[in-house]
Amino acid sequence: MSEALLKLDAVSKVYETETEGEKPLILDEVDIEVQTGQAVGILGPSGSGKTTLLNIMGTLDKPTSGTASFQGRDLTKLDEKQLSDLRNREIGFIFQLHHLLPQLSILENVLVPTLVHEGSRQPESEKRAKDLLDRVGLGHRLNYRPGQISGGERQRAAVVRALINQPALLLADEPTGALDQESAESLFDLLLELNREGGVTLVCVTHALPLAEKLSRVLELRNKKLVPAGQPR
């Protein structure tokens, strides 16, 4: 098997609190390898550490112990500028709330991540944005603002924004949590389509088992450990 795109080895996370001597353990020696092109679901109840795990995968947080690597690079050895550049170019994020800027049009929101790159080719980026928005059924909403479209459409726009820089890895944190069932299923099917047809590696945190079961691999955070979903307790 080729080298994993993303690898966590014995990753633990302890949070400092204001209470002296209290250091709650959130993750306990978590191991995972994600291969290029995989679609991985991570299940677990609220408070189980799913978001913390995803943040470590996306370099938004650092493990207390253990190692995290991406494309063979040890993330613990990168400085903040290198990590920021990695996040912008190689990793796309989708959150439960879309975080679109209300004063910008849908097209302008999608293009925001491209503005970070010095000398970025804006005409090319704009064409890619329009093509992606058309693909997700928003080609007729380019000049609308977030407040003028539905919740499901806002989440689709957020997916396109996450994809605009052609990341190798797409991380989704409860992306359907704020949607009704029909919109949730539609968005999840879109993520699967992007994974299958676009080759985007997907890691999706969710509490919705019926949606997670559509993915090729499903894991569960249980007692601060990551185990195959359905493994006997």
Side-chain angles (χ1 to χ4, degrees):
M1 184 179 290
S2 60
E3 184 175 50
L5 175 73
L6 174 71
K7 183 178 180 180
L8 303 186
D9 186 13
V11 162
S12 295
K13 182 66 179 181
V14 175
Y15 279 121
E16 299 285 347
T17 69
E18 294 182 1
T19 304
E20 186 176 351
E22 187 175 331
K23 296 182 178 181
L25 179 65
I26 309 300
L27 300 172
D28 184 14
E29 297 193 346
V30 168
D31 298 313
I32 184 175
E33 291 191 15
V34 180
Q35 304 297 325
T36 298
Q38 275 192 324
V40 181
I42 298 177
L43 293 166
S46 297
S48 61
K50 302 188 303 299
T51 295
T52 298
L53 178 60
L54 210 67
N55 286 344
I56 289 173
M57 290 179 173
T59 78
L60 294 172
D61 201 352
K62 295 181 179 180
T64 304
S65 61
T67 59
S69 60
F70 181 80
Q71 294 177 328
R73 289 171 285 178
D74 185 344
L75 298 176
T76 63
K77 295 182 179 179
L78 302 183
D79 61 30
E80 285 305 318
K81 185 178 184 304
Q82 291 172 316
L83 290 173
S84 177
D85 189 60
L86 175 71
R87 283 192 296 270
N88 186 260
R89 293 178 181 272
E90 302 290 346
I91 303 174
F93 295 89
I94 308 169
F95 303 97
Q96 181 173 339
L97 300 178
H98 54 79
H99 297 302
L100 298 176
L101 299 174
Q103 70 274 26
L104 300 183
S105 70
I106 297 305
L107 178 60
E108 289 168 338
N109 265 287
V110 166
L111 288 171
V112 165
T114 70
L115 303 178
V116 176
H117 302 312
E118 294 182 13
S120 62
R121 299 177 179 179
Q122 206 59 22
E124 291 183 12
S125 297
E126 186 168 327
K127 182 182 184 303
R128 174 169 167 77
K130 288 178 177 178
D131 288 345
L132 282 169
L133 285 165
D134 189 55
R135 180 176 180 180
V136 303
L138 293 176
H140 61 306
R141 303 290 203 205
L142 301 182
N143 297 315
Y144 284 61
R145 289 198 170 103
Q148 297 174 308
I149 63 177
S150 70
E153 287 174 324
R154 288 193 287 268
Q155 278 297 75
R156 285 174 174 265
V159 170
V160 174
R161 181 184 55 191
L163 293 170
I164 190 63
N165 284 334
Q166 299 177 276
L169 175 65
L170 189 60
L171 300 176
D173 188 4
E174 300 280 10
T176 63
L179 302 178
D180 60 70
Q181 183 175 347
E182 182 179 353
S183 297
E185 290 180 356
S186 177
L187 182 73
F188 218 83
D189 288 343
L190 170 64
L191 294 176
L192 288 172
E193 179 184 326
L194 293 167
N195 168 253
R196 288 192 301 264
E197 298 180 11
V200 179
T201 304
L202 173 66
V203 177
C204 183
V205 157
T206 182
H207 63 271
L209 179 59
L211 294 179
E213 287 178 336
K214 295 183 177 184
L215 301 173
S216 56
R217 182 183 176 200
V218 185
L219 304 170
E220 180 182 359
L221 260 178
R222 188 191 304 165
N223 299 324
K224 305 175 180 59
K225 302 276 191 181
L226 200 55
V227 299
Q231 178 174 298
R233 294 181 181 273

